[in-house]
Amino acid sequence: QVQLVESGGGSVQAGGSLGLSCAASEYTYKMYSMGWFRQAPGKGREWVAVMPRDGSTTYADSVKGRFTISRDNENTLYLQMSSLKPEDSGMYYCAADQLIRGQYCNFPDQYNYWGQGTQVTVSS
């Protein structure tokens, strides 16, 4: 099974930028749908941005225009975050799955593989 390792989290002031990476243990390009999800203390896990196997991208309304998801042609997924807000704070997780398609990519419970998460803290 694929293993995922996130990196790049940290602390930043509101309006700043951060970039996250997710390295998979095997080749994922066009083989896995992948996405970024986040979870704030006391809240459920929510989707941020996803990239299904076909390479399309979908963003949550809360991050549209500020975050960009991308992947290389091997095994790494990225999330570039700009104009960060305090409400963007939380643990960010990378997820992957071979079987899900389309709108189901937005639902965290559809993914079988998860990274350990990386913390993002945005101060006002």
Side-chain angles (χ1 to χ4, degrees):
Q1 62 183 29
V2 66
Q3 296 180 328
L4 306 172
V5 179
E6 302 98 334
S7 61
S11 297
V12 65
Q13 288 191 326
S17 299
L18 278 175
L20 306 182
S21 298
C22 171
S25 60
E26 62 184 61
Y27 187 85
T28 57
Y29 182 62
K30 293 188 178 180
M31 300 294 290
Y32 286 79
S33 294
M34 300 186 73
W36 289 98
F37 297 80
R38 67 188 180 190
Q39 187 166 16
K43 295 187 176 182
R45 194 167 294 188
E46 64 175 4
W47 74 283
V48 174
V50 297
M51 182 177 284
R53 289 172 54 173
D54 65 3
S56 60
T57 58
T58 307
Y59 298 90
D61 287 344
S62 60
V63 307
K64 202 171 294 183
R66 300 187 298 120
F67 291 12
T68 301
I69 187 172
S70 62
R71 65 196 301 177
D72 65 13
N73 58 359
E74 292 186 357
N75 65 341
T76 305
L77 183 74
Y78 304 96
L79 184 69
Q80 183 62 40
M81 306 181 292
S82 60
S83 302
L84 283 160
K85 304 174 181 180
E87 51 264 43
D88 293 319
S89 297
M91 188 70 78
Y92 281 68
Y93 298 92
C94 171
D97 198 276
Q98 289 180 295
L99 301 179
I100 53 175
R101 300 285 189 274
Q103 62 179 341
Y104 297 101
C105 294
N106 300 352
F107 298 95
D109 59 357
Q110 298 294 309
Y111 288 80
N112 278 312
Y113 306 108
W114 291 87
Q116 82 289 348
T118 185
Q119 180 69 38
V120 172
T121 303
V122 184
S123 58
S124 58

